Amino acid sequence: MRFLFLGDIVGRPGRRAVKELLPPLRAEYDPHLIIANGENAAGGNGITRKTADELFLSGIDMLTMGNHVWDQKEVYDFIDREDRIIRPANYPPDTPGRGYAIRCIDDNTKIGIINLSGRIFMQPLDCPFRLLDHLLPLIKKETKVIIVDFHAEATSEKLALAWYVDGRASAVLGTHTHIQTSDERILPKGTGYITDVGMTGPRDSVLGVQVESVISKFLSLRPVRFEVARGPVQLNAIFLEIDQERGTTEVIKRINIIKN
Amino acid sequence: MRFLFLGDIVGRPGRRAVKELLPPLRAEYDPHLIIANGENAAGGNGITRKTADELFLSGIDMLTMGNHVWDQKEVYDFIDREDRIIRPANYPPDTPGRGYAIRCIDDNTKIGIINLSGRIFMQPLDCPFRLLDHLLPLIKKETKVIIVDFHAEATSEKLALAWYVDGRASAVLGTHTHIQTSDERILPKGTGYITDVGMTGPRDSVLGVQVESVISKFLSLRPVRFEVARGPVQLNAIFLEIDQERGTTEVIKRINIIKN
Amino acid sequence: MRFLFLGDIVGRPGRRAVKELLPPLRAEYDPHLIIANGENAAGGNGITRKTADELFLSGIDMLTMGNHVWDQKEVYDFIDREDRIIRPANYPPDTPGRGYAIRCIDDNTKIGIINLSGRIFMQPLDCPFRLLDHLLPLIKKETKVIIVDFHAEATSEKLALAWYVDGRASAVLGTHTHIQTSDERILPKGTGYITDVGMTGPRDSVLGVQVESVISKFLSLRPVRFEVARGPVQLNAIFLEIDQERGTTEVIKRINIIKN
Amino acid sequence: MRFLFLGDIVGRPGRRAVKELLPPLRAEYDPHLIIANGENAAGGNGITRKTADELFLSGIDMLTMGNHVWDQKEVYDFIDREDRIIRPANYPPDTPGRGYAIRCIDDNTKIGIINLSGRIFMQPLDCPFRLLDHLLPLIKKETKVIIVDFHAEATSEKLALAWYVDGRASAVLGTHTHIQTSDERILPKGTGYITDVGMTGPRDSVLGVQVESVISKFLSLRPVRFEVARGPVQLNAIFLEIDQERGTTEVIKRINIIKN
Ligand SMILES: [Fe+2]
Ligand SMILES: [Fe+2]
Ligand SMILES: [Fe+2]
Ligand SMILES: [Fe+2]
Ligand SMILES: [Fe+2]
Ligand SMILES: [Fe+2]
Ligand SMILES: [Fe+2]
Ligand SMILES: [Fe+2]
């Protein structure tokens, strides 16, 4: 089975990048499912009904989230009913929305997708390692194909989690740093891995944000209003080919497309 | 002018990778100077006289450091006299060692190398942005070729600093996360940039450390003794070609070599 | 000379506490100057022209600030011209406002007041220790009476800074945690010290904020809107008697008044 | 029922303070049980068989711990069998030792003691709020007298947790900052509370550590070896009187004794 996974989509430029750059990718890779991290889809922070729908219309099948999931208050209006959006599963038990989903491609084909947040330099959510020990067998009852979006800051936590579930999850794809890493690989027992898929949004920016404002923040150490940057866009993604029977990644390929 | 810059060298496997993999690289790229980050050279933490000399013998011309610079107490015995080692320049004024160096290749050819530490999720050293405003003109009196090793955790701080000195430094090369990124580029005014050069050391590891011990730390949240991992090694590096007259990067190329 | 220093004033209840509880205190202690930390004066975050004036009218002579100083955007309109408000001196050089002030009580009587921010678990401002080495001799040219508001989180940083300037500053008074400590003392060389002066605002609260909302934040780990609490108020303060000739603290006394 | 609870005992001076200052306190307050935080008992970090026994011999009945619990490796040799020592209950499930204890004073008198760690600026242990929802009913089956040592850094987390269990636990006593606060009170539904009980150890110190070494660390931002300070000692404690039938605190009193 073939998958595309797009790194954090940032604001209007990110959504434009999806609209314009996804169709040719789709034609090239013919994926069974297209997943994207959407935590920055609405103006750089969080997601709205409108931005989510725009991304679904552009061909995204499934949106994962991260620490910015609650930034747009209206997310509470639809996250409980919208089964194409998942937020980190390691939020406390009563959190709105869901932390994983099982998607049916056809009668015999199901795919599990899990969203998790790291804890190093981040919020003290529940332990993502222990939560995977709980979730993986649960989902395995339905499918061996399981893709994890691990939304985390520290490279050590991302790598450790991937090694921890090597052979148990099909792929662990890191998000959150907005910078694509070049360490994509298949771990010894078959788990596809990359530390960070990267960012889909304005290229001449600091993680999608207008450069001058971020520099001003580092220089002044005072609150600065961040605006999404303009200019050329990039689409960062991962292509995965997963063996449906064994649940192992057979091909992992990094994608980085730039458009003026 | 041509340069090789190697990402954090971790322990004995990292030093072995340098010894075995650097000669062919040298033959291929014929660099004027080879720089490497050596903060993890001695058993994964810090540097010793012996490990530094081993790296110099293997062909490294210059070692930069990072947050681990003081981990081996004996560093205090030689850091003041050893002008081939620099530590982050933004430590307080009376710190042993130096934060930048000017190396002479021949009578007309000088190269400035600056080591800086980030502050996000790290120690509150002096502001690296303001320090560069001070250091760059100082070094520019002697040479336009200036390479900055920015040893930092947060991708935002690394990118912001690079944009901040675009056109003023020849290159800003990130280190510290031990994971190579795929975002190498030349910024509009000529500064070569990559968020992280990566790691030179044991490949099947978490940032150079034996996998099980790191997993055990994340699961237990208790102190765990870390050992450098064994097995296949990798050498992560950047090749730079810099215009000597203008001080701009003309070519930046990512290198990742694996050896069993 | 006699001083009153009030801990962080939080919102309307804090301002009310000042208005109603300060007059009797003033009558009792007859202070030459009344200083207060005002970083939470406006609705719990930052300060406005109106809230500052209200506090000055209530008898406060001087306001110090902290990490919340920039929360109300209008502070930029007056902080440069208002010499009765100081913000942490260790913000970068070009920061609006000033970090210390010298107040004249009469022709022969001057008082230096310095505001500093800690760095542990806070923003990486300039080193407060080194900055004091610079500021103290500067102010000493005019007066030996120097009071430092050290706005910091970590008890270790507060105590260390006080010991560092023992005999050089008249007093180091901690703020920011909103909880009064019971460790007020005079250090061996004469510097009056307390780790935290406490909070002036609603007593049945979490640091001034309505209890349920803070609990909800800790339970949910999601963004929660904080409102200043209602109900009984408290005024937390320190009374200092400082020897004008020698600049040493002779009396330090903790004050905690509660009013329904 | 009457209780004494001693703040973090630091090193040899702290153990000496207990030996010399506890007997008169015991005579004065005649407590049914004496609890102390022992996480710094052995040379400032962790606990050993010998230092624990010394404290038990001096009259301590029960030791709670904190983030330093694992600093002395030999703790693993006895923590599983030693039921007079508890460590934070919110470590992961398989952690050695126990997180709470039920002590019998006589046939009809039991006391529950719970040790918890905060998470703000600390390790991401399990949620202490949710854990209390689980532990309190469990212990209530045996006794209504329940004392919680909440070992935490942030004042907000400590206060919020106390309000959260007001009327459900007999007392929430904060530890970890090593500075006694002056905010002891009984919350509306009967829970006794103080943000921090303080420190039992060398008075002229930074949290028990020799002053110059801590200043040197703040100035240099490099690793510095910490030694426990010498000189006069202090004993910081809380006296509690709890209604056995209702489980509410009737009296809470702060104790601070200094001895040259
Ligand atoms: Fe993001
Ligand atoms: Fe994120
Ligand atoms: Fe490193
Ligand atoms: Fe590092
Ligand atoms: Fe405050
Ligand atoms: Fe503050
Ligand atoms: Fe402690
Ligand atoms: Fe502690």
Side-chain angles (χ1 to χ4, degrees):
Chain A
M1 300 183 70
R2 294 174 303 279
F3 299 91
L4 281 175
F5 186 106
L6 278 65
D8 302 35
I9 299 167
V10 179
R12 184 186 304 262
R15 302 195 309 269
R16 178 169 69 88
V18 173
K19 188 181 277 170
E20 298 179 8
L21 299 173
L22 188 54
L25 273 183
R26 194 178 204 164
E28 183 179 352
Y29 290 102
D30 190 25
H32 293 81
L33 200 80
I34 302 177
I35 312 165
N37 186 296
E39 69 149 8
N40 307 106
N45 298 306
I47 198 157
T48 55
R49 182 71 267 173
K50 199 158 150 275
T51 49
D53 284 340
E54 188 181 329
L55 292 171
F56 293 138
L57 265 174
S58 294
I60 307 285
D61 298 301
M62 190 81 206
L63 286 168
T64 57
M65 301 295 288
N67 51 307
H68 287 291
V69 55
W70 317 109
D71 285 3
Q72 302 288 342
K73 288 294 156 265
E74 64 160 279
V75 76
Y76 289 106
D77 298 342
F78 58 86
I79 198 165
D80 273 331
R81 283 167 296 120
E82 174 56 82
D83 58 13
R84 291 167 297 176
I85 299 183
I86 56 176
R87 43 82 190 154
N90 48 342
Y91 270 100
D94 291 329
T95 304
R98 64 218 75 189
Y100 70 96
I102 295 172
R103 290 290 297 258
C104 300
I105 303 291
D106 58 46
D107 288 2
N108 296 312
T109 319
K110 289 177 178 175
I111 296 135
I113 306 133
I114 304 174
N115 193 190
L116 286 172
S117 171
R119 309 199 293 178
I120 307 300
F121 311 132
M122 299 181 87
Q123 291 267 58
L125 302 188
D126 290 350
C127 176
F129 292 72
R130 282 152 54 198
L131 186 56
L132 276 185
D133 286 339
H134 170 71
L135 289 182
L136 291 174
L138 211 79
I139 300 176
K140 282 247 165 91
K141 287 176 189 161
E142 307 209 32
T143 176
K144 280 197 161 172
V145 180
I146 305 176
I147 296 172
V148 179
D149 171 358
F150 190 31
H151 194 79
E153 176 76 35
T155 49
S156 60
E157 195 176 14
K158 283 158 141 173
L159 255 172
L161 187 112
W163 279 106
Y164 186 59
V165 298
D166 181 22
R168 297 195 281 156
S170 305
V172 173
L173 307 178
T175 57
H176 177 65
T177 74
H178 289 210
I179 300 289
Q180 193 179 67
T181 57
S182 72
D183 64 336
E184 75 283 3
R185 64 182 287 195
I186 299 167
L187 295 177
K189 294 182 185 157
T191 297
Y193 173 73
I194 187 167
T195 295
D196 211 287
V197 180
M199 188 257 294
T200 296
R203 174 172 158 81
D204 291 337
S205 69
V206 177
L207 317 186
V209 179
Q210 192 241 357
V211 169
E212 286 70 27
S213 60
V214 183
I215 288 177
S216 158
K217 173 147 193 79
F218 279 111
L219 284 173
S220 72
L221 300 169
R222 284 181 273 141
V224 170
R225 193 179 154 75
F226 284 170
E227 306 262 355
V228 172
R230 294 156 184 250
V233 294
Q234 68 185 28
L235 182 152
N236 279 185
I238 281 293
F239 169 71
L240 289 173
E241 198 170 313
I242 296 176
D243 181 302
Q244 194 178 342
E245 297 308 312
R246 295 190 297 153
T248 52
T249 287
E250 304 299 315
V251 177
I252 180 165
K253 199 186 147 194
R254 204 171 1 103
I255 294 166
N256 177 21
I257 305 175
I258 296 164
K259 183 175 198 289
N260 281 317
Chain B
M1 300 184 69
R2 295 174 302 279
F3 299 91
L4 282 174
F5 185 106
L6 279 65
D8 303 35
I9 299 167
V10 178
R12 186 187 301 264
R15 302 194 309 270
R16 177 167 72 86
V18 173
K19 189 181 274 169
E20 298 178 8
L21 300 173
L22 187 54
L25 272 182
R26 193 178 205 163
E28 183 179 353
Y29 290 100
D30 191 24
H32 292 82
L33 199 79
I34 302 176
I35 311 166
N37 186 296
E39 69 149 8
N40 308 105
N45 297 305
I47 199 159
T48 56
R49 184 69 268 174
K50 201 159 149 274
T51 48
D53 284 340
E54 190 182 327
L55 292 171
F56 292 138
L57 265 175
S58 294
I60 306 287
D61 296 303
M62 192 79 205
L63 286 167
T64 57
M65 302 295 288
N67 52 308
H68 286 292
V69 53
W70 316 109
D71 285 2
Q72 302 288 341
K73 289 293 155 265
E74 64 161 281
V75 76
Y76 288 106
D77 298 340
F78 59 86
I79 197 165
D80 274 332
R81 283 167 295 120
E82 175 57 80
D83 58 13
R84 291 168 296 177
I85 300 182
I86 56 176
R87 44 83 191 153
N90 47 343
Y91 271 99
D94 291 329
T95 304
R98 69 217 71 192
Y100 70 96
I102 296 172
R103 291 290 298 257
C104 301
I105 303 290
D106 57 46
D107 288 0
N108 296 315
T109 320
K110 289 176 177 174
I111 296 135
I113 306 132
I114 303 175
N115 193 189
L116 286 172
S117 171
R119 308 199 295 178
I120 306 302
F121 311 131
M122 300 182 86
Q123 291 266 59
L125 301 187
D126 289 350
C127 175
F129 291 72
R130 282 152 55 198
L131 187 56
L132 276 186
D133 286 339
H134 170 71
L135 288 181
L136 291 174
L138 209 81
I139 300 176
K140 281 248 166 89
K141 288 176 190 162
E142 308 210 31
T143 177
K144 280 196 161 173
V145 180
I146 304 177
I147 297 171
V148 178
D149 170 358
F150 190 30
H151 194 81
E153 177 75 35
T155 49
S156 61
E157 195 175 15
K158 284 159 141 173
L159 256 172
L161 187 115
W163 279 107
Y164 185 59
V165 298
D166 182 22
R168 298 194 282 156
S170 306
V172 172
L173 307 177
T175 57
H176 178 67
T177 73
H178 289 211
I179 300 289
Q180 194 178 68
T181 57
S182 72
D183 64 338
E184 75 282 3
R185 67 182 285 195
I186 299 168
L187 295 176
K189 295 183 184 156
T191 296
Y193 173 72
I194 187 166
T195 295
D196 211 288
V197 180
M199 188 258 294
T200 297
R203 175 171 157 80
D204 290 337
S205 70
V206 177
L207 317 186
V209 178
Q210 194 245 351
V211 170
E212 284 72 26
S213 60
V214 183
I215 288 176
S216 158
K217 174 150 192 74
F218 278 111
L219 284 173
S220 72
L221 300 170
R222 284 181 274 140
V224 170
R225 192 180 156 74
F226 284 170
E227 307 262 355
V228 172
R230 294 156 184 249
V233 293
Q234 68 184 30
L235 182 151
N236 279 184
I238 281 292
F239 168 72
L240 289 174
E241 199 169 313
I242 296 176
D243 181 303
Q244 194 178 340
E245 297 308 311
R246 296 190 296 150
T248 53
T249 287
E250 304 300 314
V251 177
I252 180 165
K253 196 186 149 197
R254 199 163 15 93
I255 294 166
N256 176 20
I257 306 176
I258 296 164
K259 183 176 197 288
N260 282 316
Chain C
M1 300 185 68
R2 294 174 302 280
F3 299 91
L4 281 176
F5 185 104
L6 279 64
D8 303 35
I9 298 167
V10 179
R12 185 188 301 263
R15 302 196 309 270
R16 178 169 71 86
V18 173
K19 188 181 277 168
E20 299 179 7
L21 299 173
L22 189 54
L25 272 182
R26 194 177 205 164
E28 182 179 353
Y29 290 101
D30 190 25
H32 292 82
L33 200 80
I34 301 176
I35 312 165
N37 186 296
E39 70 149 6
N40 308 106
N45 297 306
I47 198 157
T48 57
R49 182 71 267 173
K50 197 158 150 276
T51 49
D53 284 340
E54 189 182 329
L55 292 171
F56 292 138
L57 265 175
S58 294
I60 306 285
D61 297 303
M62 191 81 208
L63 286 167
T64 57
M65 300 297 287
N67 51 307
H68 287 292
V69 55
W70 317 110
D71 286 2
Q72 301 288 341
K73 288 294 157 264
E74 64 160 279
V75 76
Y76 289 107
D77 298 340
F78 58 86
I79 197 164
D80 274 331
R81 284 167 295 119
E82 174 56 82
D83 57 14
R84 291 167 297 176
I85 299 182
I86 56 177
R87 44 84 189 150
N90 48 342
Y91 270 99
D94 292 327
T95 305
R98 65 219 73 190
Y100 70 96
I102 294 172
R103 291 291 297 258
C104 301
I105 304 290
D106 58 45
D107 287 2
N108 295 312
T109 318
K110 289 177 178 173
I111 295 135
I113 305 132
I114 304 174
N115 193 189
L116 286 172
S117 171
R119 309 199 292 178
I120 307 300
F121 311 132
M122 299 181 86
Q123 291 267 58
L125 302 187
D126 290 350
C127 176
F129 291 72
R130 283 153 53 198
L131 187 56
L132 276 185
D133 286 339
H134 171 70
L135 288 183
L136 291 175
L138 210 81
I139 300 176
K140 281 247 167 88
K141 288 175 189 161
E142 308 209 32
T143 176
K144 279 198 160 172
V145 180
I146 304 175
I147 296 172
V148 179
D149 170 359
F150 190 31
H151 195 80
E153 176 76 35
T155 49
S156 61
E157 195 176 15
K158 284 159 141 175
L159 255 172
L161 186 114
W163 279 106
Y164 186 58
V165 297
D166 182 23
R168 297 195 282 156
S170 305
V172 173
L173 307 178
T175 57
H176 177 64
T177 73
H178 289 210
I179 299 290
Q180 193 178 66
T181 56
S182 72
D183 64 336
E184 75 282 4
R185 65 182 287 194
I186 299 168
L187 295 176
K189 295 181 184 157
T191 296
Y193 173 72
I194 187 167
T195 294
D196 211 287
V197 179
M199 186 258 293
T200 296
R203 174 172 156 81
D204 290 336
S205 69
V206 177
L207 317 185
V209 178
Q210 193 242 353
V211 170
E212 285 69 27
S213 61
V214 183
I215 287 176
S216 158
K217 173 148 192 76
F218 278 111
L219 284 173
S220 72
L221 300 170
R222 284 181 273 141
V224 170
R225 192 179 155 74
F226 284 171
E227 306 262 355
V228 172
R230 294 156 184 249
V233 293
Q234 68 184 29
L235 183 152
N236 279 185
I238 281 293
F239 169 70
L240 288 175
E241 198 170 313
I242 296 177
D243 181 303
Q244 195 179 341
E245 297 308 311
R246 296 190 297 153
T248 51
T249 287
E250 303 299 314
V251 176
I252 181 166
K253 197 186 148 195
R254 202 167 7 98
I255 294 166
N256 177 20
I257 304 176
I258 296 164
K259 183 175 197 289
N260 281 317
Chain D
M1 298 186 69
R2 295 174 302 281
F3 299 91
L4 282 175
F5 185 106
L6 279 64
D8 302 35
I9 298 167
V10 178
R12 186 187 303 263
R15 303 195 309 269
R16 177 168 72 84
V18 173
K19 189 181 275 169
E20 298 179 7
L21 299 173
L22 188 54
L25 273 182
R26 193 177 205 164
E28 184 179 351
Y29 291 99
D30 191 25
H32 292 82
L33 199 79
I34 302 176
I35 311 166
N37 186 296
E39 70 148 8
N40 307 107
N45 298 305
I47 198 157
T48 56
R49 184 69 268 174
K50 202 159 148 272
T51 49
D53 283 339
E54 190 182 327
L55 292 171
F56 293 138
L57 264 174
S58 294
I60 307 286
D61 297 303
M62 192 78 206
L63 286 167
T64 57
M65 302 296 288
N67 52 309
H68 286 292
V69 55
W70 317 109
D71 285 3
Q72 302 288 342
K73 288 294 156 265
E74 64 161 281
V75 76
Y76 289 106
D77 298 341
F78 59 87
I79 198 165
D80 274 331
R81 283 166 296 119
E82 175 57 81
D83 57 14
R84 290 167 298 177
I85 299 182
I86 56 176
R87 44 83 189 153
N90 48 342
Y91 271 99
D94 291 328
T95 305
R98 68 217 73 192
Y100 70 96
I102 295 173
R103 290 292 297 258
C104 301
I105 304 289
D106 58 45
D107 287 3
N108 296 314
T109 321
K110 288 176 177 176
I111 296 135
I113 305 133
I114 303 175
N115 193 189
L116 285 172
S117 171
R119 308 199 294 178
I120 306 301
F121 311 132
M122 300 181 87
Q123 292 266 58
L125 301 188
D126 290 350
C127 175
F129 292 71
R130 283 152 55 198
L131 187 54
L132 277 185
D133 286 340
H134 170 71
L135 288 182
L136 290 175
L138 210 79
I139 300 177
K140 281 247 167 89
K141 288 177 190 162
E142 308 209 31
T143 176
K144 280 197 160 173
V145 180
I146 304 177
I147 297 171
V148 178
D149 171 358
F150 190 31
H151 194 81
E153 178 75 35
T155 49
S156 60
E157 195 176 15
K158 284 159 140 174
L159 256 172
L161 186 113
W163 280 107
Y164 185 59
V165 298
D166 182 22
R168 296 195 283 155
S170 306
V172 173
L173 307 177
T175 57
H176 178 64
T177 74
H178 288 211
I179 300 288
Q180 194 178 66
T181 57
S182 72
D183 64 337
E184 75 281 3
R185 67 182 286 194
I186 298 168
L187 295 176
K189 294 183 186 156
T191 296
Y193 173 72
I194 187 166
T195 295
D196 211 287
V197 180
M199 187 257 295
T200 297
R203 175 170 156 81
D204 290 338
S205 70
V206 177
L207 317 187
V209 178
Q210 194 244 352
V211 169
E212 285 71 26
S213 59
V214 183
I215 288 177
S216 158
K217 174 148 193 74
F218 278 110
L219 284 172
S220 71
L221 299 170
R222 285 180 272 141
V224 170
R225 191 180 156 74
F226 284 171
E227 305 262 355
V228 172
R230 293 156 186 249
V233 293
Q234 69 184 28
L235 183 152
N236 279 184
I238 282 292
F239 168 71
L240 289 174
E241 199 169 312
I242 296 176
D243 181 302
Q244 195 179 339
E245 296 309 311
R246 297 190 294 152
T248 53
T249 286
E250 303 299 314
V251 177
I252 180 165
K253 197 185 148 196
R254 199 165 12 96
I255 294 166
N256 177 20
I257 305 176
I258 295 165
K259 184 177 197 288
N260 282 316

